[in-house]
Amino acid sequence: METSSERMETSSERMSAPLVVAIIGAGPSGIYAAEALSQQTDIDVEIAVIDRLPVPFGLVRYGVAPDHHSIRSIRNTLERTLEKSSVRFYGDVTIGADLTIAELRESVDAVIYAYGAGTDRRLEIPGEHLQGSFAAAELVAWYCGNPDVHPDTEQPPSSDHLMAAEVDELITRARRAVVVGVGNVALDIARILIKSIDQLTDTDMAEEVLESLSRKNVTDVHVLGRRGPAYTSFTTKELRELGEIDDVDVIVDPADLQLDPSSEAVVQQNKIAARNMVVFQDWAARPLSGASKRIRFHFWTRPTMIIGDDRVAAVEIERTMIDSAGYVVGAGGRNTLAADLVVRSVGYRGLPLIGVPFDEKTGRVPHAEGRVIRDGGFSPDEFVTGWIKRGPTGVIGTNKSDAVETVTSLIADVHNGAIQAHGRSGKLDRLLAERGVHPLGMPAWHRIDAAEIELGARHGRLRTTLAHRKELLAAAEPDGDNLE
Ligand code: NAP
């Protein structure tokens, strides 16, 4: 039994011990949470940022389009946070496989879930399974060089993902693509599909991705919006960019720009919608330049069926309208668009992580102001931020204020005694070492970074992404530059 002096010693040790916080996910939401935690001065913290991939930055590396250089440069800010003395990056550690959520919670004082939205929404229409029909998320992962879709040759292909070889085959034979959805990801996809290889070589795409893209022959991209031009989720800068690509005409039917009263009200209230309308009006008024490639917007249009024997040949589309209850419904008038590729870009969706509360309906971790709700009450040591908290919305910067809200709740809970430091510094490292799990830290990332820059220089580029796990691990070795 503890004596009272032992009790006092233990408790004063605990008072002076740092609060150990593990963040699952080294994407923007997780790193912004680390930043908010490391910037506050109320309590002493040790922060472990864990990611299953060998490299940090999540969607900034594997989601932001490679031709969006300024957004990708947010990486530099995120990197500075991971370099702070109170923060450590634990790359190549998979929660679930290397240690369970329960074990992680036992090793630290609090956990912040920041593992994003790991899958895509589906259209639920016939033919969606055909070869040539796939999710924007897969194409994005492919062109960003995510090792999940660029398996090492000895790795068995995963049934969860379309693999690089399949994307290569699909993309190089396609001439006409249909992109379903009118959000920023749809714009990224349309841009990457329509741009010529010369317009993509200044990116950091992996050589094999560029090689596939150089054999691409896409001449027409059709973008389908199930509602009108007032209801798109585009940001105007990104929308405008489509009209600035050489040798591409952007086509909008002026009839689609006649606004009904509800669209009119949206444009009155929403500045982005109003600015986007100006862009569409400009395009609708432009005469065709005779460019060799086209992007055509189809509003009030949704796909009803993907047609083909074994692979995509066409998409059946129908006109839509909004009914009195506010739902998108068919308005009759079916048509067919010839297509070799169909990319659904209708949003992402969170996936459950074993041991973490999950709301199947919303695809999110249930919470209030970032405090996780477990079994109907607040779980004192669990917090959540980013897409797995609020859903797949907002730009990268949105994650910053989101993380601040979560960290504010966490710090308040330290002050009100709901969370205590238990003197757990080093416990996670000991557990991982016992398991034979060797996390890749920031020194390993710097070696990978240097290897990618060097490889880029060999090809006359600023950087070339290493797309395979084994390449990343080889480059991470202290003496590793085993790259061809
Ligand atoms: P999003 O903005 O939510 O757009 C999804 C689109 O899919 C919407 O147009 C939606 O239309 C449509 N949709 C949903 N279900 C549909 C269905 N069954 N049939 C037809 N259309 C359907 O999602 P996202 O484009 O995947 O982007 C995710 C987030 O990342 C967004 O916040 C986005 O701004 C951000 N992002 C930003 C950038 C950037 O800043 N450059 C780049 C990429 C992504 P309804 O409105 O009718 O539902």
Side-chain angles (χ1 to χ4, degrees):
M1 219 176 117
E2 272 183 338
T3 65
S4 66
S5 67
E6 276 169 347
R7 235 188 340 261
M8 277 183 62
E9 193 182 15
T10 314
S11 116
S12 75
E13 265 173 17
R14 284 177 184 171
M15 292 291 283
S16 61
L19 186 84
V20 183
V21 182
I23 298 172
I24 304 180
S29 62
I31 301 180
Y32 282 135
E35 181 185 74
L37 266 173
S38 63
Q39 275 174 350
Q40 58 74 40
T41 49
D42 282 8
I43 54 165
D44 187 17
V45 282
E46 270 181 27
I47 305 154
V49 185
I50 303 171
D51 206 292
R52 68 182 183 84
L53 291 172
V55 292
F57 313 124
L59 272 194
V60 169
R61 182 175 162 105
Y62 292 126
V64 173
D67 60 343
H68 275 173
H69 303 285
S70 71
I71 308 181
R72 283 177 83 81
S73 71
I74 294 172
R75 203 198 74 193
N76 301 331
T77 318
L78 301 181
E79 189 174 286
R80 281 197 290 279
T81 297
L82 292 177
E83 299 287 7
K84 289 187 166 187
S85 57
S86 57
V87 182
R88 268 188 67 197
F89 172 57
Y90 290 66
D92 208 26
V93 175
T94 304
I95 302 300
D98 292 325
L99 72 167
T100 65
I101 286 291
E103 288 166 335
L104 180 66
R105 289 174 68 195
E106 280 296 307
S107 312
V108 299
D109 300 308
V111 180
I112 301 179
Y113 304 123
Y115 49 83
T119 190
D120 62 283
R121 294 200 199 116
R122 302 190 73 87
L123 293 167
E124 311 295 353
I125 57 171
E128 203 172 0
H129 62 281
L130 286 173
Q131 220 188 8
S133 152
F134 53 94
E138 293 180 304
L139 194 57
V140 170
W142 174 74
Y143 64 58
C144 289
N146 187 322
D148 286 347
V149 299
H150 291 272
D152 297 338
T153 40
E154 64 270 23
Q155 246 175 273
S158 149
S159 57
D160 297 346
H161 293 291
L162 199 66
M163 286 297 148
E166 290 169 78
V167 182
D168 172 85
E169 204 270 322
L170 294 170
I171 215 161
T172 52
R173 62 180 286 284
R175 300 187 78 82
R176 297 148 307 184
V178 170
V179 180
V180 184
V182 283
N184 279 336
V185 171
L187 292 181
D188 288 345
I189 299 289
R191 224 178 40 253
I192 300 290
L193 285 177
I194 209 81
K195 273 188 169 181
S196 68
I197 190 66
D198 297 345
Q199 294 160 330
L200 294 168
T201 40
D202 69 340
T203 66
D204 61 8
M205 285 183 189
E207 280 301 315
E208 65 200 76
V209 171
L210 271 186
E211 223 274 305
S212 297
L213 290 172
S214 70
R215 286 182 280 113
K216 156 179 82 64
N217 285 307
V218 175
T219 57
D220 290 88
V221 177
H222 299 272
V223 181
L224 311 188
R226 64 178 171 177
R227 296 189 288 163
Y231 295 94
T232 66
S233 321
F234 305 137
T235 43
T236 311
K237 182 167 173 281
E238 278 66 27
L239 182 62
R240 214 177 271 130
E241 200 184 340
L242 273 199
E244 292 160 4
I245 309 171
D246 271 353
D247 198 24
V248 174
D249 276 327
V250 182
I251 304 169
V252 178
D253 182 351
D256 279 347
L257 304 183
Q258 302 298 322
L259 300 184
D260 62 290
S262 77
S263 300
E264 196 72 67
V266 171
V267 173
Q268 291 296 329
Q269 286 158 19
N270 180 331
K271 281 194 185 126
I272 299 175
R275 284 198 285 262
N276 288 351
M277 281 304 297
V278 174
V279 178
F280 291 130
Q281 275 151 358
D282 175 37
W283 287 338
R286 266 194 217 177
L288 293 186
S289 72
S292 69
K293 293 175 287 181
R294 290 151 294 277
I295 297 174
R296 189 184 298 261
F297 283 89
H298 303 253
F299 291 109
W300 299 110
T301 300
R302 70 178 177 189
T304 44
M305 183 174 19
I306 302 178
I307 301 164
D309 291 332
D310 53 347
R311 49 168 75 219
V312 172
V315 182
E316 183 190 76
I317 53 175
E318 74 171 347
R319 295 291 285 178
T320 53
M321 58 184 219
I322 298 180
D323 70 6
S324 55
Y327 291 105
V328 176
V329 292
R334 298 211 171 182
N335 218 326
T336 305
L337 280 177
D340 314 297
L341 273 189
V342 178
V343 186
R344 58 176 185 276
S345 181
V346 294
Y348 289 80
R349 189 180 157 77
L351 283 172
L353 183 60
I354 291 173
V356 179
F358 187 70
D359 181 344
E360 279 291 345
K361 232 164 90 189
T362 60
R364 299 183 226 156
V365 171
H367 76 98
E369 293 176 346
R371 294 179 176 93
V372 170
I373 297 170
R374 185 183 274 278
D375 302 327
F378 287 121
S379 171
D381 61 331
E382 292 178 290
F383 296 82
V384 62
T385 191
W387 277 6
I388 197 64
K389 171 188 180 189
R390 65 173 195 279
T393 59
V395 294
I396 301 283
T398 315
N399 293 299
K400 198 166 182 167
S401 46
D402 192 356
V404 166
E405 179 190 70
T406 295
V407 167
T408 304
S409 296
L410 191 156
I411 299 297
D413 287 359
V414 174
H415 287 309
N416 67 30
I419 312 177
Q420 286 112 34
H422 295 91
R424 289 178 172 171
S425 187
K427 201 170 171 189
L428 175 61
D429 290 1
R430 287 193 293 277
L431 179 64
L432 291 174
E434 276 166 27
R435 298 272 158 94
V437 178
H438 304 290
L440 295 179
M442 287 308 276
W445 158 248
H446 288 305
R447 289 190 286 270
I448 292 170
D449 190 27
E452 290 190 336
I453 291 168
E454 194 197 318
L455 191 60
R458 285 190 219 166
H459 293 99
R461 304 165 65 206
L462 284 179
R463 168 191 294 274
T464 295
T465 299
L466 296 173
H468 296 270
R469 182 182 152 76
K470 75 171 181 207
E471 293 174 322
L472 292 167
L473 297 186
E477 288 292 316
D479 57 354
D481 180 7
N482 315 323
L483 307 168
E484 287 309 315

